[in-house]
Amino acid sequence: AQKITQTQPGMFVQEKEAVTLDCTYDTSDQSYGLFWYKQPSSGEMIFLIYQGSYDEQNATEGRYSLNFQKARKSANLVISASQLGDSAMYFCAMREYGSSNTGKLIFGQGTTLQVKP
Amino acid sequence: DAGVTQSPTHLIKTRGQHVTLRCSPISGHKSVSWYQQVLGQGPQFIFQYYEKEERGRGNFPDRFSARQFPNYSSELNVNALLLGDSALYLCASSSAGTTYNEQFFGPGTRLTVL
């Protein structure tokens, strides 16, 4: 069954330190994509980073990197040098590109990150 | 360039009423998806439209319907509102239908059902 699991409801990190947000997924498709979104209190979903199932290297976007371990079905987000503006809800999401490809994103429950000054 | 726009921003309705939410995609984008996000949870997929045709439907009752217009804007309609329909409704647009493409989300419409 298609599923995204985020086991950390809330996380704290000190400003300027790195933090890892966990995400595991379940799919029977060989072709899929994994996304991370940031949702501030305003509600808008902001795209952060993408990893395709056939990508051999971990994705990086500025201070964001995705630690992709295919065999473990995990796609953890690493934020380096945390900033106060990083305080938000973070969602891991998956899209399948096989026979069930409808463009649907499947989201996890989210992790609330608070950055302490 | 303007991003995805949604209207209204906030809406208060009573049980049994009907509501229409509107979404305008990014210029040039032909695909629109709708998601429902109940407080404290991740968004749940409702519909995807591409080139004015429904391409995907989530596990929502028939009270939920949508359509896409020739200019690629979209409406989400919900009939016979229930208290449980209170949520943030997000619209996302992308340039393609079913191949990989980043989905850009709008600010959402916050619906409260009393």
Side-chain angles (χ1 to χ4, degrees):
Chain A
Q2 317 150 350
K3 191 175 180 181
I4 294 284
T5 303
Q6 295 179 253
T7 57
Q8 307 154 312
M11 291 279 288
F12 288 93
V13 64
Q14 207 66 36
E15 192 178 9
K16 299 181 184 177
E17 292 187 349
V19 62
T20 298
L21 307 184
D22 294 341
C23 171
T24 58
Y25 60 91
D26 190 16
T27 178
S28 55
D29 268 3
Q30 296 301 309
S31 179
Y32 53 89
L34 296 157
F35 302 75
W36 276 92
Y37 284 87
K38 172 184 178 181
Q39 187 176 43
S41 56
S42 60
E44 187 167 355
M45 301 288 280
I46 302 167
F47 168 77
L48 296 177
I49 197 166
Y50 168 82
Q51 178 86 39
S53 58
Y54 293 117
D55 295 340
E56 295 185 353
Q57 292 197 337
N58 287 341
T60 59
E61 290 284 350
R63 294 187 299 111
Y64 304 107
S65 60
L66 199 151
N67 184 0
F68 181 47
Q69 298 187 47
K70 195 170 181 177
R72 294 186 177 183
K73 291 192 173 180
S74 75
N76 298 339
L77 176 71
V78 180
I79 305 174
S80 63
S82 297
Q83 301 172 357
L84 295 178
D86 293 336
S87 295
M89 179 78 87
Y90 288 80
F91 288 98
C92 180
M94 176 175 66
R95 179 171 173 176
E96 296 171 326
Y97 300 120
S99 58
S100 59
N101 186 2
T102 61
K104 168 173 89 169
L105 282 173
I106 303 156
F107 286 85
Q109 293 287 85
T111 295
T112 301
L113 177 66
Q114 292 192 36
V115 181
K116 292 182 173 180
Chain B
D1 284 344
V4 178
T5 59
Q6 292 186 244
S7 62
T9 306
H10 295 84
L11 202 51
I12 299 175
K13 292 284 189 178
T14 56
R15 283 177 296 175
Q17 285 189 314
H18 162 272
V19 69
T20 297
L21 310 181
R22 296 179 175 82
C23 171
S24 292
I26 291 171
S27 178
H29 283 191
K30 299 180 179 180
S31 174
V32 170
S33 299
W34 287 96
Y35 293 82
Q36 179 197 64
Q37 186 179 17
V38 174
L39 190 63
Q41 297 183 17
Q44 297 290 317
F45 174 76
I46 310 175
F47 288 110
Q48 192 214 19
Y49 276 77
Y50 178 65
E51 288 279 18
K52 301 179 286 293
E53 290 189 3
E54 181 184 303
R55 290 296 185 92
R57 173 185 283 254
N59 188 22
F60 280 81
D62 292 343
R63 298 185 297 106
F64 288 76
S65 64
R67 55 180 175 169
Q68 187 176 33
F69 299 99
N71 66 354
Y72 303 110
S73 66
S74 177
E75 283 183 353
L76 175 70
N77 295 284
V78 187
N79 292 324
L81 285 167
L82 303 174
L83 296 179
D85 295 331
S86 295
L88 179 68
Y89 288 84
L90 294 164
C91 172
S93 80
S94 63
S95 60
T98 54
T99 56
Y100 159 69
N101 205 287
E102 179 185 339
Q103 292 192 22
F104 296 83
F105 282 83
T109 293
R110 200 168 294 275
L111 172 65
T112 302
V113 182
L114 302 176

